[in-house]
Amino acid sequence: MTLHEWGIFHGSDKAHAHNYLNFYEAKIGMPHSILEFGVLNGASLKMWRDKYNAFVIGLDIEKKQPINGITILQMDATDEKTATYLSNLYNNFDLIIDDASHMVADQIKSFELFWPFVNKGGCYIIEDCHTMHYDQYNPHKIDFKAWVESLGIEHEYFWRVPGDESDSGTLIFWK
């Protein structure tokens, strides 16, 4: 099955609402270790596990139900203590996905903490980066695109509706 088909099977909004998964499958290779911020109902965690037979960890600030074969930790991806805790327990990851608060400041903080955790040849994804255009997600009017460019890291945006940055968008950084 394709990643998109696994997403539909498990009910992930990455498939049915955002249409990210065909783009991801073409770009991310075969990750063996995956860390995702923002668990929601666990659909995407199951999708990653089943498609790639990967070691999967989910982080969420709220307590979530256990999922067979997946580690779920109640932690904050913007907290340095979380990064320290994970660095003491786990090696780096092939894929890290930020699908947490969608707050631009949180996306930046999580990236700064966890980019060092990406294996060479791996990637870091920031989902729902279209929120940079909405005051409730970007009250400080951070110029997200300028921040991305200032990093000097190879990256690529995907917009569900090409050219419409106010619609679902995601961003991949490669290491």
Side-chain angles (χ1 to χ4, degrees), residues 10-21:
H10 286 299
S12 173
D13 67 346
K14 292 172 181 15
H16 63 78
H18 298 297
N19 200 30
Y20 295 155
L21 298 180

Side-chain angles (χ1 to χ4, degrees), residues 36-130:
E36 183 165 3
F37 311 141
V39 171
L40 193 59
N41 62 9
S44 63
L45 300 176
K46 294 174 199 172
M47 172 194 75
W48 300 122
R49 176 198 63 199
D50 293 348
K51 171 63 179 170
Y52 297 109
N53 194 26
F55 171 70
V56 179
I57 297 176
L59 291 185
D60 203 290
I61 59 172
E62 297 177 3
K63 184 166 178 57
K64 298 295 181 177
Q65 292 296 315
I67 299 173
N68 187 36
I70 296 170
T71 300
I72 299 176
L73 303 171
Q74 185 178 359
M75 303 182 94
D76 183 348
T78 65
D79 188 336
E80 290 180 30
K81 292 176 187 170
T82 299
T84 300
Y85 177 82
L86 288 175
S87 71
N88 288 327
L89 289 180
Y90 302 104
N91 291 324
N92 290 349
F93 297 89
D94 297 325
L95 174 62
I96 297 178
I97 308 105
D98 182 344
D99 190 15
S101 74
H102 311 321
M103 300 292 291
V104 172
D106 289 352
Q107 292 170 329
I108 291 170
K109 180 67 176 175
S110 294
F111 181 87
E112 290 170 346
L113 288 172
F114 286 93
W115 174 246
F117 285 68
V118 177
N119 286 324
K120 183 161 180 59
C123 55
Y124 188 108
I125 296 173
I126 299 176
E127 291 191 340
D128 304 307
C129 58
H130 59 281

